[in-house]
Amino acid sequence: MSVNISKQKRDRLVEKINKIKTYIASAKQDENTAQLLTYIADIEKDIKGKKYGLVFEEHREAIDEILEQNTPVLTEEKDLFIDNGGNMNFLIEGDNLAALQLLEKTHKGKIDLIYIDPPYNKGEKDFVYDDDFVDKNDLFKHSKWVSFMSKRIRLAYEILSERGYIFISIDENEAATLTLIMNEVFGEDNYISHTFVLDNLKGKTGDNYITSVGSRLLVFAKNKNRASGFSEVENVFGDTVEKKYLERDDKGLYSSITFKKTGQSKYREDRPYMFYPILQKDGILYPIKEDEYSKLFDWKTKTFDDKYLSELKKQYADYEFILPQDISGKYLRWTNGYKNFCRKINEDIFYNNGVYQKDRPSTGELLAYYTLGRPKSFMYKPSYAMGTEDLKKVLPDVNFDFPKPIELIEDILRLLSENQYTILDFFAGSGTTGHAVMKLNAEDGGKRKFILCTNNENNICRDVTYERIKRVIARDKYEASLKYYKVDFVPISDKLYYEYADELLKHIRELVELENGINFNGNAKIAIVLTEKELDEFTTSIPDKCKTIYLGHDVLPSEEQDSLFKARGIAVNIIPDYYYRELEG
């Protein structure tokens, strides 16, 4: 029988506390006895508190002090606006805790995918806490990291949609700690995977015991019961990827193999037993089952069993039964592992679960593809080690420690079956996430959008994140636009709402743009009106192209103005009051 010793100890402490409370309650009552009872109640509460989970010393950051005295706002850097059509994306410069508080107003429950690559807290100048690096000798290095991450993870939870997922890259230094944070915030039932990403085959130098060759990818759902399962993907989440599979077309990664006509020829005419018979029905091709093929073909004499062939034809009476020698150049090669599904791609290509052969009898070209399958808890591609090269191709003069590879983020994006969601990265770093979103959209016609947040330490946001996005849009002609916002602050301490409300009003435009993915600047099709005076001015000279107006929630149009909007076919969207409702009192 299991005995909870810790609970027994707690119960004995509570029993002693109750005796003290009884004694104090029987004594003469004054301010001191009342205060003592309050102290004892606090102690009892702590004793009965959480008994399992992450216990740490809580720390306050400088940004916590700032946010107590100020409310965050966004200010656009208009000269950095990139207008290249397509979806509107956003880059936010500033502390990501403040940025997340703003995103909670505009995107609460709306983001379907969050990816972050936070500081790993290795004690190697990778984690800055209040302008100081946390080194290996800091006695509170783990507590500082937990305090830092917990606040941001809780806000991320609020921003995720009910069907959303969060992916977090991490290494062994804080992987266990992060799991406890995620279990507490998201719940153990919403755990998806602790995937290993092999991205450094050589291993890290300086390891005395076992060299590390990769990182972790911790995955949680907001609500596993409401989230859709992941899409089947190229089989890169399990089997080791060979270096030859580096070419890509619209069907995925492949390698091209040319067979020469030699004594070891693999042509159908020379080695017919290497090729499957095919069943055809309604233009769709199917391979027969492996056990049926083993009975049909005599491996010793390398001939087909005519009697069993007749039985099979009766069994598949509704199908046209085609032997390889009947295909006349358009043949399907039997390859172990590619025998479960077969369909006709076009008149020249037969496709078999990831392998198809073009109609080129003279060269015998075979394109071998990765098969699609359920993602596994191991990821590897040679390109996963190319994060630095990916960045150097765009910004050759920038030195950046461990930028994430584009293809890793692409593979994460491919897991979601839809291609029109918004991805949030609030540790954006070198901007790989934004780059990957645009690249994948160009490949598959998707309409994904991104929101990136990063601080501007050493001008990283302006000179690296923004510059990378700007250059790849120009270089690769991506149909994508970008707005650049900076986090600013409006003082609210010891003030009533009406004393700073006008200042907040100046920054509503940015929140409306962020929430709706739009641009007001120089855009005659849409307008924003925040005061009665602006409404009067707007209705006297409405641009001909205007079709949508965003109206402040406390701005009331007159009957004439309402009629004018209807006559001009202008849709009126009321700006919500939740941006700063909590400040109004």
Side-chain angles (χ1 to χ4, degrees), residues 248-264:
R248 177 185 291 278
D249 63 11
D250 59 346
K251 297 177 183 64
L253 291 169
Y254 70 90
S255 68
S256 180
I257 305 169
T258 300
F259 297 115
K260 297 180 180 178
K261 193 158 186 173
T262 65
Q264 299 297 319

Side-chain angles (χ1 to χ4, degrees), residues 259-424:
F259 297 115
K260 297 180 180 178
K261 193 158 186 173
T262 65
Q264 299 297 319
S265 170
K266 296 182 179 179
Y267 283 126
R268 170 182 57 80
E269 292 85 352
D270 297 324
R271 301 180 74 185
Y273 54 90
M274 292 295 293
F275 297 87
Y276 260 100
I278 300 172
L279 303 171
Q280 178 173 281
K281 183 178 181 181
D282 299 327
I284 304 298
L285 301 175
Y286 306 87
I288 67 170
K289 297 177 182 178
E290 184 177 7
D291 58 344
E292 293 174 339
Y293 182 68
S294 63
K295 296 178 183 177
L296 174 64
F297 189 81
D298 187 330
W299 290 91
K300 292 182 179 179
T301 63
K302 295 182 174 55
T303 58
F304 289 100
D305 186 329
D306 292 334
K307 183 178 180 181
Y308 187 65
L309 177 59
S310 298
E311 293 179 8
L312 279 180
K313 288 184 176 181
K314 293 178 182 178
Q315 181 179 341
Y316 294 102
D318 294 337
Y319 294 81
E320 181 184 358
F321 203 96
I322 309 173
L323 289 176
Q325 55 262 45
D326 297 330
I327 299 178
S328 184
K330 303 171 188 174
Y331 45 84
L332 181 71
R333 183 172 184 267
W334 179 89
T335 306
N336 192 28
Y338 299 118
K339 51 185 176 290
N340 300 319
F341 178 72
C342 177
R343 66 185 177 88
K344 187 174 184 180
I345 298 296
N346 54 44
E347 291 301 317
D348 298 322
I349 299 173
F350 290 91
Y351 183 80
N352 180 24
N353 194 27
V355 174
Y356 65 75
Q357 184 149 354
K358 290 185 177 179
D359 182 16
R360 292 183 181 178
S362 60
T363 62
E365 182 183 44
L366 176 72
L367 300 185
Y369 279 77
Y370 284 131
T371 58
L372 297 182
R374 187 60 54 204
K376 298 179 177 66
S377 58
F378 178 86
M379 296 174 65
Y380 169 66
K381 283 183 181 178
S383 56
Y384 288 174
M386 296 174 63
T388 300
E389 289 81 352
D390 291 340
L391 181 60
K392 287 289 185 182
K393 290 176 183 178
V394 186
L395 300 173
D397 298 327
V398 169
N399 293 317
F400 193 93
D401 293 334
F402 311 116
K404 278 291 175 281
I406 296 175
E407 197 151 2
L408 171 63
I409 309 301
E410 282 190 271
D411 285 336
I412 292 173
L413 297 173
R414 289 189 181 97
L415 291 176
L416 271 66
S417 56
E418 297 181 13
N419 62 2
Q420 297 190 27
Y421 53 88
T422 299
I423 177 172
L424 169 64

Side-chain angles (χ1 to χ4, degrees), residues 46 50 54-61 64 129 140 142-148 150-151 154 184:
D46 285 342
K50 182 175 70 172
L54 191 60
V55 179
F56 61 97
E57 300 280 346
E58 293 188 52
H59 294 263
R60 286 175 63 82
E61 306 169 58
D64 292 316
Y129 193 87
F140 298 103
H142 293 294
S143 289
K144 287 179 178 179
W145 191 87
V146 173
S147 293
F148 174 85
S150 293
K151 289 175 285 192
R154 291 183 190 282
E184 184 173 291

Side-chain angles (χ1 to χ4, degrees), residues 540-554:
T540 58
S541 57
I542 300 176
D544 293 336
K545 293 183 179 179
C546 185
K547 294 300 177 185
T548 303
I549 180 174
Y550 288 83
L551 203 62
H553 71 276
D554 55 354

Side-chain angles (χ1 to χ4, degrees), residues 94-108:
D95 191 289
N96 57 12
L97 186 61
L100 285 168
Q101 286 191 3
L102 289 165
L103 285 166
E104 188 183 14
K105 301 175 187 298
T106 61
H107 287 78
K108 186 172 184 177

Side-chain angles (χ1 to χ4, degrees), residues 108-130:
K108 186 172 184 177
K110 296 179 181 178
I111 297 292
D112 286 328
L113 179 60
I114 294 176
Y115 169 79
I116 55 173
D117 182 26
Y120 290 178
N121 200 21
K122 297 184 290 186
E124 300 172 358
K125 295 186 176 183
D126 66 307
F127 176 37
V128 177
Y129 193 87
D130 280 359

Side-chain angles (χ1 to χ4, degrees), residues 201-268:
L201 284 173
K202 294 181 180 179
K204 295 188 296 186
T205 59
D207 289 333
N208 294 325
Y209 301 100
I210 297 176
T211 186
S212 177
V213 294
S215 59
R216 280 78 169 162
L217 191 63
L218 188 59
V219 187
F220 272 75
K222 173 71 171 284
N223 185 338
K224 191 187 289 187
N225 293 328
R226 298 188 62 179
S228 58
F230 290 148
S231 298
E232 291 191 338
V233 293
E234 293 167 354
N235 200 10
V236 297
F237 286 71
D239 300 333
T240 299
V241 178
E242 298 181 24
K243 291 183 178 180
K244 64 183 180 181
Y245 292 97
L246 295 177
E247 300 176 85
R248 177 185 291 278
D249 63 11
D250 59 346
K251 297 177 183 64
L253 291 169
Y254 70 90
S255 68
S256 180
I257 305 169
T258 300
F259 297 115
K260 297 180 180 178
K261 193 158 186 173
T262 65
Q264 299 297 319
S265 170
K266 296 182 179 179
Y267 283 126
R268 170 182 57 80

Side-chain angles (χ1 to χ4, degrees), residues 564-579:
L564 180 60
F565 293 150
K566 291 178 182 178
R568 297 286 295 272
I570 297 175
V572 178
N573 294 327
I574 304 299
I575 299 172
D577 66 345
Y578 51 66
Y579 292 153

